Amino acid sequence: MNTKVWKVDKCVDNLESNPHVVDAAHFLRENEVVAMPTETVYGLAGNAKNDEAVRKIFEAKGRPSDNPLIIHIAERSQLEQMVAEVPEKADRLIEAFWPGPLTIVFRMKEGVLSKLATAGLSTVAVRMPDHPVALALLRACRLPIAAPSANSSGKPSPTTAAHVVEDLNGKIAGVLDGGPTGVGVESTVVDCTEDVPIILRPGGITREQLEAVIGEVRIDPALINESEQPKSPGMKYRHYAPNAPLYLVSGTREFLQRLVEEKQKEGLRVGVLTTEEFAGEYEADEVLICGQRSELDTVASALYDVLRRFNQLNVDIIFSEMFPNVGVGHAIMNRLEKAAGNKVIVEK
C-alpha cells in the first residue's frame, strides 16, 4: 500500500474544505485507516461503526484485539447516539475539559459501534480532541472515529507525522501531517460508570484538575499495584518501549553515573534520559534532555520523541531519572514504568 502524506497548516480557516482533509475523510468513509494529529499524540483513525475498518487498525498496529479503542467525536450530538446515558459528573467533566485530553468511559448503547472497537465490552471510551485538524477531519467524514495511537504496538507513541511514517509506512492509507503535537502523552481516561469516577489511565488532565470539578476521583488499583487486574484491558500490555532496555533509577545522580560507568566498562553504549537542569552532570555515550524538571509539562511533551531518538542513536542500555508522581508527573511515570517494564534500580 502506498501511504500518502498530506501536509496541513492547522492555523488556516475552513479546514473542513481543505483538499487534503477532504481526501483523508474520503478514505475513512471507504473504511480505510489514516493517521491524524491530536493535541496529545497522533491517532490511527478508522470508522468506529465498521468491523473491516477497525480490523485494519489492529492489523496496522499489531495490537491485541482485546484492547478497546477510544472513540473520537467532534460534536456532542454524536455522544448521545452511542451512549446509554451521560451521568451528571461526566456532564460536568465534558463542560470543563472537552475538547481536550480527557477520555470518558460510558455505558454503551448497543448496535451503534463495531464490537471490535469496544472489545466486546458493555462500555465505550469517548473523547473530543482539541486539535483543529482532527476536528476538521471528524466533521468532514461525519463518523465516530476509533483512534488509538498511530504507532506499532508497544513502541513509543508518535508525536510527529515522521514518527507515524517510521512505524506504519505502507500499512495505512495516509497521514495528515499537522505538525508536532502539544501535550505529548495520551489523554487521561476516567470511568464515569460508577458513583465515584475512576482514573484508568493518567494523562494530560490531572487528578487534581478532575477533583476541582467533580470532587472525589479514585485511581484504578492496577495503576498502583501490579498484582491487581486492570479494569481497562489495554493497561495489561507493555507500551512505549524503546529498542534498548530501559531502567529507571531511584537514587542520586552520582549513583546513576556509577551505573553508566559500570556498563561502559562492559563495552556497552549507554544512554541517559535527564532534564535541562542536570544534563551537564552525566558522562555517557548519549545524554538526551527531556524537558525541564521544574516544568513537568515540558517533560511530558518531549518524552516519546526522546525515547525514539535513543533508537536512532543505537544505544545498548538506557538509564532514566525518575520524576515526582504528582500532577502530570503521574502520567510521565506511568509511561516510563511501562516503557521500562517496571524495572527500577534502587540505590542502597
Side-chain angles (χ1 to χ4, degrees):
M1 179 185 294
N2 179 32
T3 299
K4 293 187 174 184
V5 178
W6 304 283
K7 197 165 184 65
V8 178
D9 183 352
K10 66 181 180 181
C11 297
V12 303
D13 295 329
N14 303 316
L15 275 172
E16 285 175 57
S17 59
N18 180 289
H20 296 325
V21 173
V22 171
D23 202 9
H26 171 75
F27 275 111
L28 290 175
R29 287 195 296 273
E30 293 296 312
N31 298 321
E32 297 294 341
V33 294
V34 301
M36 66 179 185
T38 76
E39 79 282 23
T40 57
V41 300
Y42 272 73
L44 186 55
N47 180 359
K49 293 183 174 184
N50 183 269
D51 287 349
E52 178 190 1
V54 175
R55 195 174 288 113
K56 287 177 180 177
I57 293 173
F58 285 114
E59 289 172 356
K61 282 181 62 70
R63 179 181 173 116
S65 60
D66 67 341
N67 196 343
L69 306 179
I70 292 172
I71 311 303
H72 292 61
I73 60 174
E75 308 289 348
R76 173 67 184 258
S77 59
Q78 293 177 288
L79 177 68
E80 315 289 352
Q81 294 167 15
M82 69 180 74
V83 304
E85 62 172 340
V86 178
E88 185 264 341
K89 288 181 180 177
D91 198 51
R92 282 155 57 189
L93 291 176
I94 289 169
E95 185 67 26
F97 299 113
W98 279 13
L102 178 67
T103 295
I104 303 175
V105 176
F106 301 89
R107 298 201 185 281
M108 184 175 59
K109 190 179 290 183
E110 289 293 331
V112 178
L113 301 172
S114 163
K115 289 187 177 180
L116 294 178
T118 59
L121 299 175
S122 61
T123 56
V124 61
V126 185
R127 91 176 188 99
M128 187 183 293
D130 188 16
H131 194 289
V133 175
L135 290 172
L137 179 62
L138 288 164
R139 291 182 179 123
C141 71
R142 302 184 300 279
L143 291 168
I145 292 298
S149 55
N151 58 301
S152 295
S153 189
K155 296 301 182 183
S157 298
T159 54
T160 68
H163 293 162
V164 180
V165 173
E166 180 183 316
D167 280 12
L168 302 180
N169 190 29
K171 297 180 180 180
I172 62 176
V175 182
L176 272 176
D177 181 356
T181 62
V183 177
V185 293
E186 293 84 352
S187 61
T188 303
V189 178
V190 180
D191 184 347
C192 283
T193 63
E194 300 186 14
D195 290 339
V196 179
I198 301 172
I199 294 176
L200 304 184
R201 181 180 73 186
I205 302 295
T206 67
R207 182 183 189 178
E208 294 83 354
Q209 289 174 294
L210 297 171
E211 291 190 329
V213 174
I214 58 171
E216 182 187 2
V217 175
R218 295 206 303 265
I219 301 286
D220 183 1
L223 293 175
I224 302 166
N225 184 349
E226 284 184 64
S227 65
E228 292 282 344
Q229 177 67 23
K231 187 166 182 178
S232 174
M235 300 305 287
K236 293 189 297 188
Y237 302 104
R238 186 171 178 237
H239 292 298
Y240 322 117
N243 294 338
L246 171 67
Y247 293 85
L248 306 183
V249 179
S250 176
T252 62
R253 292 183 289 283
E254 291 78 13
F255 174 63
L256 194 156
Q257 179 61 36
R258 289 199 299 274
L259 294 174
V260 170
E261 292 165 3
E262 288 172 8
K263 292 302 178 183
Q264 287 178 322
K265 287 177 183 175
E266 296 175 15
L268 300 181
R269 277 179 51 77
V270 183
V272 172
L273 187 154
T274 182
T275 56
E276 283 186 18
E277 290 91 335
F278 304 131
E281 299 188 27
Y282 298 111
E283 292 185 12
D285 296 281
E286 302 292 347
V287 178
L288 295 190
I289 294 172
C290 189
Q292 300 173 323
R293 180 171 288 268
S294 58
E295 298 287 342
L296 289 180
D297 286 347
T298 65
V299 176
S301 181
L303 181 60
Y304 292 142
D305 184 61
V306 167
L307 292 177
R308 283 179 175 266
R309 282 167 57 202
F310 277 123
N311 291 345
Q312 297 166 358
L313 296 168
N314 296 315
V315 296
D316 299 307
I317 190 170
I318 304 163
F319 294 115
S320 173
E321 294 179 349
M322 297 179 72
F323 296 91
N325 221 332
V326 295
V328 75
H330 188 43
I332 294 166
M333 286 307 302
N334 170 266
R335 303 318 192 268
L336 279 172
E337 286 161 2
K338 287 193 170 293
N342 293 301
K343 299 187 296 288
V344 181
I345 301 174
V346 181
E347 185 174 14
K348 303 298 184 184

